[in-house]
Amino acid sequence: MHTTVGIIGGGPAGLLLARLLHGAGIDSVVLESRDRAYVEQRQRAGILEQATVDALRAVGAGARLDREGMPHDGIELRFGGRAHRIDFPSLTGGRSVMVYAQTEVVKDLIALQLAEGGPLLFEAEVTSIDGADTGSPVVRYRHEGREQMVTCDYVVGCDGFHGVTRNAVPDSVRTTYERTYPYSWLGVLAEAPPVYEELIYAHSERGFALASMRSPSVSRLYLQVPNGTDPGDWPDERIWDELDARFATHADPGWKLERGPVTSKAVLPMRSYVTEPMRYGRVFLAGDAAHIVPPTGAKGLNLAAADVIVLARALTRWRETGSTELLDAYSDTCLRRVWRAEHFSYFMTTTLHTDPEQSAFETRLQLSQLERVAASRHAAAELAENYTGLPLPG
Ligand code: RFL
Ligand code: PHB
């Protein structure tokens, strides 16, 4: 089998890339190691930047998003017993974000690709990529009990943090940058009406908490917990009590979330990671395969989308003109945006979480920074511009 673009991984990056290439008349094959149900149920991101929404609409995946997505014009910060709203449109010249779960994005893209796209194979695990620096790299994978292969003009690794494509880049040309954090998130889904107006990001001495949503009747909630926490140590009542304690304000000390049955809970580690370059020979890396951000800035899925938008444009130019100019610029173009998102995600994470080792001095610095965001239009605009997403290059 031969294809123009072999796409490894059927997460948001791989699926969106396949749709963008389909629209440009470029054939591709998507190889996904998990089964369809697993990929469609994996609980993850919830916030889409405008550029991500635009790309989904452009590939035909906008209908349900526009019906069920929940536009948000701001976030609320809670710290030092106060609440402060950041209004995105007034700070960014009209930008806002959309709450629409990654699970739904993935379902929409899979349905489209299966209906009118190139092959999308589930339970097709890629084992190796050979000949990255040759004119025709080969992807080897296991499918239906057999070893198979596909030769490609280009290979794109959209196989996430635990994927195999990164290994096609020799150690001698690769640099990685990494930071881990001394805390994790306990992520919870609950059959309870969310605080609907805004997402709430809370700094408290008990640790960080975040209230988000999946629908008018389903809440998505996160609590900072120590690394290695067993979700079994967090019965439902303990989760709700702790959320209420972390979200409490002086003005409304009795404020409480609406409670309901918790339907899933999982502990998620936090990491910052970048591998450079994002290309070697005819192999490209996109999304979590190339970079990870801690979720506090809501950037991971959006960065994955930005990478494949840039890459699809570059492949389209190559197909139309034979020029590899944009392909050659891909890694540098993406990395500029990646590092901005790395910094913003690090900033949001370290400003809002309480490191178990942190001194009273450092807590005062965090509160001073949050007060600055509340008091200064410039500081608030810096946060709002990064949160809603910086413009795509080009
Ligand atoms: P994915 O989604 O990990 O998909 C990679 C796919 O590759 C498959 N795969 C393979 N397939 C074939 N052969 C192999 N050898 C393979 N190895 C792996 C995997 O099965 C998988 O299907 O990466 P992608 O597409 O780059 O997408 C990235 C996003 O999933 C990720 O950045 C976001 O979920 C991060 N994130 C958030 N991002 C946001 O923009 N906004 C948010 O609000 C947000 N919240 C979050 C998040 C991530 C979280 N977790 C769980 C880390 C909240 C959480 C809790
Ligand atoms: C989510 O809704 O899952 C979500 C929202 C904002 C974040 C992270 C996750 O920063």
Side-chain angles (χ1 to χ4, degrees), residues 8-15 31-34 38-39 42-49 102 106 124-127 141 158-165 185 187 201 214 220 222 268-269 286-289 291-293 295 297-304 387:
I8 305 172
L15 293 166
L31 302 169
E32 164 58 49
S33 58
R34 303 292 195 143
Y38 181 91
V39 173
R42 197 165 35 195
Q43 275 305 322
R44 286 193 166 176
I47 296 278
L48 307 183
E49 295 173 5
Q102 181 167 329
V106 164
E125 187 188 359
V126 171
T127 49
Y141 63 101
C158 299
D159 46 350
F161 186 63
H162 300 287
V164 296
T165 314
W185 279 10
Y201 288 78
R214 287 293 175 264
R220 177 72 171 151
Y222 298 99
L268 323 158
D288 280 15
H291 40 72
I292 296 285
V293 286
K299 285 283 154 260
L301 170 58
N302 295 297
L303 272 185
Y387 193 96

Side-chain angles (χ1 to χ4, degrees), residues 8 22 24 93 123 125 132 159 205 213 238 250 321 324 327 345 359 371 374-375 379 387 394:
I8 305 172
H22 177 78
E123 300 178 79
E125 187 188 359
D159 46 350
E205 289 196 3
M213 66 202 70
R238 183 177 178 203
H250 295 321
T321 67
T324 60
L327 288 172
S345 304
S359 65
E371 270 160 28
Y387 193 96

